[in-house]
């Protein structure tokens, strides 16, 4: 029994140490979001609010634009009054990322099912499609830009309605669907492969159609896999920076792009507002992760383990 | 459908349903939107990239349609460009270290948490946080942490009792370490998650049987659990390697590739050539070489993965 | 024809055009630059038959607070509304280049820094403003020749600016004035301590004015370590300071065939001096940009700093400063060349405004540029405590509001002298590639990994390659314009 206790103690010690490693940068981000310019990077380090430094809501007021602009005219925060309102970036990000992730999940899952059951696209399809994620997006962004900006002309020649991809929601959404599909197909294929065909056969024999078989037999079994895939794809899209930087703005603006605007000549990066945004945008994702934790733990083995 | 009789909604639905139920439809229908999307959206720019890589185009030299033909010059130049080759090497070293540590730490933590115990849920929640933070934010966060007069050196000073002033971002060696550290911090959660998931999915019977037959925990781990986990490990390697080889945000935000070229990874090299030097054709050629290189590495891992899967299917009843 | 005449010829032509009876009708009426701009804008709207017009400016986010009030004022005067889209200043070059590719016409005005001009022109994304200027008669005769040359590329006018932004040297007045220190310094170096004339003298000062925490420093006890000097050594920064220092050797960076001259004794000496001074700096300086350098100096950790003019306002007023009122600003040091002292500062940034080729109303955009950067409006901008446009026109030395912003009239006078001798960073196509090669090799030298000779040799070799790659003939032509316009004053080597 004592050995067990020692082992448990050790386990908590190791895990606790990693908790510190994980939380330290997070703690620092949250702490910084309550600091004014002079305290962001200072030596000796300012750790304790109210003791070392006077906490302020300035950063949050700035990003949420609460109460109009704050007091001005001081070199202390010369450019800090930039009114980059987070609402716009937040709304755009949520709309684009949600639609793209869900659409990617649905399209990818359907194809994964077809691949699993009928070998659609050939045996190697899921692997070849992974190549999409191997090309560094930095350079392709330029041909992408050429292509996107010439789309209105191309379609005008076809006589259709005006189609615009550059700096529009649809442009980014479609691109995000296309770039995350490989992962969706790949992950969902593993989950669907795991569902025994016998179950489907049985259902079909009992007279159920294909669609209802999928709905009643397959879907419940892969639901947690789909949740995991959705979260993974959501995180990828939520963080995407390079393509958004090149292919959007001024009309469409996502959060990672917005973050880069907080710069000042004297303070350099405006860490405070950036930390505030970081804190604000991290909370929903963490809550989401917490809510679906059970599925996460179940689903991330990609069906690689024979049950 | 005869034009005289207007079909009712429900009738339409039934015919649609019947159509959908056919296997031939079922087989191909899901492929259509995906292929359409990929072809219309990604194929064109990709072909354009290939075409541009064969030109001698800089943005400062007019529009791309008017750029002179260069043939394979760019490829030859890239392959003899020291900076490019070093960037390749550096990227593989970075990715190698980062992925290795992520796997080790992730695996270790997973071993400690895959079974139920008190407080497990809390640990799991906390461990997953880093990968949910936007990389740009992580970059800024770490650049604050790693400032010479920043909190990390401050903590190290307290721990060691000396005045630690490691120049994390401006010393050649430590800057490289810093970039890898940031990547490990952000992405260990993913490998951890994959492993926890894999470990908790392991069938309990063989383990129990081995224990009954007198095997120690270590033996069980080596001879039963590890072989069963191999496919999961390969998956973790493939996913992480694929993203780690493209590492951009961390070196960009922490060091901008400096000091010197110490942290100039491939992505930064490409970015500089395309967006700072305006050498689009050259960057396109280099990125195609990178694609060939990366896909070589990754298809090798996938080949390994497929072998695992094939074995898996053989055992499957 | 204008191309062959050069700047002087062109200005003469402009004057001719202005007074010449045949074209006099074309000049927009108005007593001042700003008035003509407003009238020109109004006339343009009238010609279009509209009352209002919307334009868009791609703007450096640093000016998000200061710029809008001037835009509002402009709208009230003319009916032209200018929307701003802000970007971080590190993002803008890529955005301008992307616009050259995408030709979206989303932007009418680009706001960035002077050294972006050559690439923007060659990418065909900005238009020459000479024709508009002939009608609007802007005034920049009083702008220092070196800075004025940056408004042109290959003899054509492309950009307006209202920001000097050249480097300055600041010392700690309180330390320089310590009586015991003065005596000891004089005994050692044979002169009073104070603003140095040469880079070598600055290093002497740095070697003298430093000490450890707790040490008795000529009558005062040091509360913390005191470093002798601060100057930029980080990647993306160091090479900018190098160009000013090199120019003080009165040498050009290229000869008339674009052969680099930086691997000669002048270049090696410049690098050596910079490496040598580094030993009096905190080691952390290798990673520091402005955000780290400013507070370090303001918190009293070092004796001297070479940086931007806004350091004085910052060190006087910033939160946590301990040296308020104890700053001695200096004209940047120089080098003795052939028995003559040559001082050169550099303009490491310098906010400018350009008109997009894809603008639907380039003329309307132009009138705003002329109005906002005019002598009167420009002075208001420079005096604006919210903005950081720095002084560069002599008339700004007399403006009490500008003096107030920078703390003292003397400081403005010194800044204007620094502006007069501020050289541009290589104003050629592909300059950011030249910079990068210089930057990386300087980094190696600063870190002691290679010798200064080797760093310069490598840079020169890489510069040759870049020139060949871009096209030597084009570069030679452009460089000729640069040198002949007096961008580097009387520097030798052409």
């Amino acid at each position: 029994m004592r050995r067990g206790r020692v082992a448990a103690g050790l386990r908590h010690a190791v895990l606790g140490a990693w908790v510190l490693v994980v939380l330290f940068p997070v703690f620092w981000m949250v702490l910084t979001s309550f600091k004014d310019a002079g305290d962001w990077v200072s030596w000796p380090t300012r750790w304790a609010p109210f003791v070392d430094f006077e906490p302020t809501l300035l950063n949050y007021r700035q990003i949420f634009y609460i109460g109009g602009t704050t007091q001005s005219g001081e070199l202390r925060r010369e450019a800090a009054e930039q009114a980059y309102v987070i609402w716009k970036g937040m709304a755009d990000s949520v709309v684009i990322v949600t639609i793209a992730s869900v659409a990617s999940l649905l399209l990818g899952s359907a194809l994964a099912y077809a691949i699993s059951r009928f070998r659609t696209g050939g045996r190697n399809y899921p692997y070849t499609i992974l190549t999409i994620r191997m090309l560094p997006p930095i350079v392709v962004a330029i041909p992408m830009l050429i292509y996107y900006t010439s789309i209105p002309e191309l379609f005008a020649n076809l006589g259709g309605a005006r189609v615009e991809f550059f700096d529009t929601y649809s442009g980014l959404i479609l691109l995000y669907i296309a770039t995350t599909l490989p992962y969706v197909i790949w992950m969902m294929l593993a989950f669907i492969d795991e569902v025994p065909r016998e179950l489907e056969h049985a259902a079909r024999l009992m007279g159920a159609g294909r669609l209802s078989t999928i709905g009643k037999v397959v879907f419940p079994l892969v639901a947690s896999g789909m949740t995991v895939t959705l979260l993974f794809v959501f995180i990828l899209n939520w963080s995407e920076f390079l393509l958004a930087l090149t292919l959007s703005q001024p009309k469409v603006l996502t959060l990672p792009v917005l973050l880069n605007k907080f710069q000042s000549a004297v303070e350099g990066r405006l860490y405070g507002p950036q930390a505030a945004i970081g804190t604000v945008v991290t909370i929903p994702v963490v809550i989401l992760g917490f809510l679906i934790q059970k599925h996460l733990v179940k689903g991330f083995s990609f069906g690689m383990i024979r049950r | 459908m005869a034009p005289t009789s207007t079909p009712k909604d429900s009738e339409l639905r039934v015919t649609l349903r019947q159509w959908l139920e056919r296997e031939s439809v079922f087989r191909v229908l899901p492929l259509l939107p995906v292929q359409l999307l990929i072809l219309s959206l990604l194929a064109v720019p990709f072909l354009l990239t290939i075409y541009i890589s064969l030109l001698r185009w800089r943005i400062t030299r007019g529009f791309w349609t008017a750029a002179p033909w260069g043939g394979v010059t760019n490829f030859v130049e890239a392959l003899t460009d020291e900076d490019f080759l070093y960037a390749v090497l550096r990227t593989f070293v970075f990715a190698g270290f980062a992925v290795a540590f992520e796997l080790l730490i992730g695996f270790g933590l997973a071993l400690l948490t895959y079974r139920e115990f008190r407080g497990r849920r809390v640990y799991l929640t906390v461990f997953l946080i880093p990968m949910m933070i936007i990389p740009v934010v992580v970059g800024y966060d770490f650049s604050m942490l790693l400032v010479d007069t920043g909190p990390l050196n401050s903590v190290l000073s307290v721990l060691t009792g000396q005045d630690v002033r490691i120049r994390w971002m401006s010393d050649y060696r430590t800057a490289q370490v810093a970039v890898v550290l940031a990547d490990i911090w952000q992405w260990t959660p993913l490998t951890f998650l994959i492993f926890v998931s894999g470990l908790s999915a392991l069938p309990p019977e063989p383990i129990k049987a081995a224990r009954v037959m007198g095997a120690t925990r270590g033996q069980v781990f080596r001879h039963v659990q590890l072989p069963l986990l191999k496919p999961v490990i390969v998956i973790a390697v493939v996913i992480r390697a694929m993203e780690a080889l493209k590492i951009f945000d961390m070196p960009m935000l922490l060091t901008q590739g400096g000091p010197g070229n110490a942290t100039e990874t491939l992505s930064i090299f490409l970015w500089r050539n395309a967006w700072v030097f305006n050498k689009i054709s050259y960057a396109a050629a280099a990125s195609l070489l990178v694609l060939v290189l990366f896909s070589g590495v990754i298809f090798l891992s996938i080949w390994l993965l497929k072998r695992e899967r094939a074995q898996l299917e053989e055992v499957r009843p | 024809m204008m191309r062959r005449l050069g700047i002087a010829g062109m200005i003469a032509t402009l004057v001719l055009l202005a007074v010449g009876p045949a074209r006099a009708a074309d000049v927009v009426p108005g007593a001042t630059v700003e008035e003509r701009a407003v009238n020109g804008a109004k006339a343009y709207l009238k010609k279009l038959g509209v009352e209002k017009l919307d334009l868009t400016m791609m703007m450096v986010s640093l000016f998000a607070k200061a710029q809008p009030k001037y835009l509002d004022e402009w709208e009230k005067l003319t009916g032209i509304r200018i929307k701003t889209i802000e970007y971080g200043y590190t993002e803008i070059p890529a955005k301008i280049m992307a616009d050259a590719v995408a030709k979206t016409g989303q932007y009418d005005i680009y706001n960035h820094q002077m050294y972006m001009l050559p690439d923007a022109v060659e990418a065909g994304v900005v238009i020459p403003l000479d024709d508009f200027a002939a009608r609007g008669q802007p005034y920049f005769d009083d702008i220092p020749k070196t800075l004025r040359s940056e408004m042109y590329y290959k003899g054509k006018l492309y950009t307006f600016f209202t920001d000097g932004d050249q480097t300055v040297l600041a010392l700690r007045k309180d330390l320089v004035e310590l009586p015991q220190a003065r005596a000891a310094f004089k005994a050692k170096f044979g002169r009073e301590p104070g603003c140095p004339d040469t880079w070598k003298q600055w290093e002497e000062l740095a070697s003298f004015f430093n000490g450890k925490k707790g040490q008795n420093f000529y009558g005062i006890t040091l509360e913390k370590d005191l470093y002798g000097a601060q100057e930029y050594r980080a990647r993306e920064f160091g090479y900018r300071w190098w160009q000013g220092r090199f120019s003080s050797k009165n040498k050009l960076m290229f000869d008339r065939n674009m052969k680099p001259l930086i691997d000669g004794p002048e270049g090696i000496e410049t690098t050596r001096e910079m490496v040598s001074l580094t030993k009096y700096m905190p080691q952390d300086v290798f990673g520091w940009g402005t955000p780290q350098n400013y507070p370090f100096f303001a918190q009293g950790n070092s004796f001297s700093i070479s940086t931007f003019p806004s350091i004085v306002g910052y060190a006087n007023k910033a939160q946590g400063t301990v040296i308020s009122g104890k700053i001695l600003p200096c004209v940047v040091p120089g080098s003795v060349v052939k028995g003559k002292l040559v001082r050169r500062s550099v303009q490491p940034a310098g906010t400018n405004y350009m008109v997009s080729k894809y603008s639907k109303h380039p003329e309307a955009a132009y009138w705003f540029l002329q109005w906002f950067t005019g002598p009167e409006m420009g002075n208001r901008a420079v005096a604006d405590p919210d903005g950081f446009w720095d002084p560069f026109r002599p008339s700004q030395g007399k403006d009490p509001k500008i003096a107030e912003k920078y703390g003292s009239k003397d400081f403005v006078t010194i800044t204007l002298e620094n502006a007069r001798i501020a050289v541009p960073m290589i104003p050629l196509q592909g300059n950011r590639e030249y910079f990068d090669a210089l930057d990386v090799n300087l980094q190696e030298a600063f870190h002691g990994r290679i010798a200064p000779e080797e760093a310069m040799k490598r840079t020169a070799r890489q510069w040759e390659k870049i020139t060949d790659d871009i096209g030597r003939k084009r570069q030679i032509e452009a460089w000729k314009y640069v040198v002949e316009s007096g961008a580097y004053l009387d520097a030798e080597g052409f």
Side-chain angles (χ1 to χ4, degrees), chain B residues 250-273:
Chain B
M250 297 305 159
M252 196 61 207
L253 295 172
L254 291 181
T255 58
Q256 299 189 310
N261 273 340
T263 53
E264 183 164 296
T265 61
L266 267 173
S267 287
I268 295 200
F269 173 87
L270 294 174
W271 172 82
R272 234 184 253 292
N273 273 281

Side-chain angles (χ1 to χ4, degrees), chain A residues 11 25 125 147 210 260 269, chain B residues 21 35 40 112 140-141 253:
Chain A
R11 188 215 307 265
Y125 189 80
Y147 180 52
R210 272 176 204 282
N260 241 21
R269 293 162 182 165
Chain B
E21 290 283 326
Q35 281 304 91
S40 66
L112 291 175
Y140 287 132
D141 196 14
L253 295 172

